[in-house]
Amino acid sequence: MIDDSKGDARGRVSTRMSGAITVGRRRSTVAVRNISLGGAMIELPTPPDEGTRIRFETETTGKVDARIVWVIGNRCGLVFERAAEMPAGRAAAIA
């Protein structure tokens, strides 16, 4: 599981991880700005539209299905379809 003990009141942990999203057959590299058990804020040159279903992936989370819930400029928020579950060793990588 993500160790959210070092996060803010909502369980978000600031990060400088890189990751990827896949929309259909298109894969894009993203910067992960924060992450929690329920979602993440990512940054990329051309974010998908709000409501788009994606596959989110980092070394820490593995592949997680998600949906874009907001877009502002080159950042967007996503909500995981299921809470992110990770082995304890991976959770330490976020902190």
Side-chain angles (χ1 to χ4, degrees), residues 42-85:
I42 60 174
E43 186 175 309
L44 67 162
T46 308
D49 293 332
E50 187 175 318
T52 302
R53 294 195 181 281
I54 65 166
R55 170 75 46 98
F56 173 73
E57 181 177 3
T58 69
E59 284 186 22
T60 304
T61 62
K63 295 178 181 177
V64 181
D65 290 328
R67 181 174 43 87
I68 304 295
V69 293
W70 60 263
V71 177
I72 299 175
N74 65 341
R75 292 186 177 198
C76 60
L78 51 109
V79 62
F80 300 143
E81 296 295 323
R82 287 179 286 183
E85 294 184 13

Side-chain angles (χ1 to χ4, degrees), residues 16-53:
R16 293 181 183 207
M17 287 191 294
S18 63
I21 62 168
T22 303
V23 180
R25 293 184 178 182
R26 183 173 178 221
R27 183 176 166 94
S28 302
T29 300
V30 300
V32 182
R33 297 301 179 207
N34 68 47
I35 191 166
S36 70
L37 293 173
M41 179 173 65
I42 60 174
E43 186 175 309
L44 67 162
T46 308
D49 293 332
E50 187 175 318
T52 302
R53 294 195 181 281

